[in-house]
Amino acid sequence: MRIRRLVLKAQKENDRAFLKLFKQFEQDIYRMAYVYVRNTEDALDVVQEVAYQSFKKIDTLQRPEYFKTWLMKITMNSAINLVKKNKKVVQLKPEFEEFVGSDDGDILLTLSLQELMDTLQDDEKSVILLRFYHDHTLKEISEILEIPLGTAKSILYRALNKLRKDFKEAGNYE
Amino acid sequence: MNRSLKEELDNIQTPIEIHEMSKMGVRKAKAEMGTKVRAYARRRLVTAILAVCLIVPTSAFAYEALLVDGLFGSFDNFKKHAAGATMEGYLLLNAKLTQAKGDLGQEQFGHFKELLKVITSAKIEYGDQYGNIDYSQVPSEKIEEIKNVMYEIQPYFDQLNGVQSSKEVLTSEEYKQYIDALMTYEQILVESGNDLKNTPSDLQDELNEARDVLYYVSDKQSQHSN
């Protein structure tokens, strides 16, 4: 398999092979990151951080077929860390922010995604993204996030409740 | 839910500079990994140089060192441990060098190091598995160079060995003979496979002569120490 071959090459510190591989996932990484950090600049920073961390640690990846899952895990951790870091920085006052305006020209997000970003906590975003964007089962999510299955379930229900959408679906994804 | 979220996420436009960011991340990682590799290579190199330095004294130090079976056993044996540099050997060298630095002063120590470098590189280039140079294989101008360095470095070795400088206690003629004897000795070690018991009979006289010179110098040095 192509990914497997590239991972093996990258594990030998072949940066070209790594970038070829990484390119296939960088848009997913960016989008995932965006859900947490909610602006272009920080999402790009997360992409850079994920590239940095994953290339540095790729020799620790034992099963190449899990490369994507592994990248997503690094993405979520990096994004959450950045959000935490930003919270420590003194925020601009809303009115001032308004005055400065939003110059990043971010796309107009549809309401439900906007809702997801606005209403959910970071751990809830992680579970929702893994479940509905990457189609992982709850069991897989609990393994990726290193949390008990019960916790993964309750986070998912809580998130779905918040979003007030399709409650019924949650029970079917185990 | 499933489908709509996917669609919405896929609608998040990705900036064109995204791949540039990936490259930057990899470059940063690579630079750090490179430092790690270089640091590791440097350590290995230092160890290798230390190893060679340790060999030098065994043959270039005065005859006591030559008569014992080499301070660290055979060069081969030592090489096996070179990556981890035996603690004993390392400490000994360290002590010798620290001592050299303390006793000789900065400028002299620098000079000593320069001289040592010539001998070390000669050992690497021409030495056998025991670190002894087969002078019959060395170009004559190189022999001259090594000889000149030995003239200069031997007093330092004497000082490190805690004995009187051979250059001082001997006449210039005797000193020349001494250096020649050291080189002859080394040559015979090569020819006898590092075991003087196996010295070819035609070299036995030469060996005895060289030994006599070394004993003579040793006597002279100890007389002056008392």
Side-chain angles (χ1 to χ4, degrees), chain B residues 26 51 79 82 99 102 125 149 174 179 185 201 208 211 221:
Chain B
V26 171
K79 267 201 297 198
Q99 193 189 346
E125 206 167 343
V149 169
E174 285 173 334
I179 300 299
Y185 199 94
S201 52
N208 290 340
R211 263 185 182 155
Q221 285 173 319

Side-chain angles (χ1 to χ4, degrees), chain A residues 96-131:
Chain A
F96 183 57
E97 212 169 16
E98 209 174 346
F99 173 72
V100 172
S102 165
D103 60 354
D104 56 13
D106 283 339
I107 16 72
L108 289 167
L109 296 168
T110 54
L111 184 66
S112 60
L113 180 60
Q114 192 64 49
E115 202 178 7
L116 186 151
M117 293 196 296
D118 290 347
T119 48
L120 298 188
Q121 291 171 4
D122 290 341
D123 59 342
E124 293 162 350
K125 285 176 185 171
S126 301
V127 173
I128 291 283
L129 285 171
L130 288 171
R131 180 68 203 94

Side-chain angles (χ1 to χ4, degrees), chain A residues 137-154:
Chain A
T137 64
L138 271 168
K139 191 168 181 301
E140 286 166 347
I141 293 170
S142 74
E143 282 165 9
I144 294 169
L145 298 178
E146 294 171 31
I147 52 175
L149 181 61
T151 311
K153 273 184 194 173
S154 55

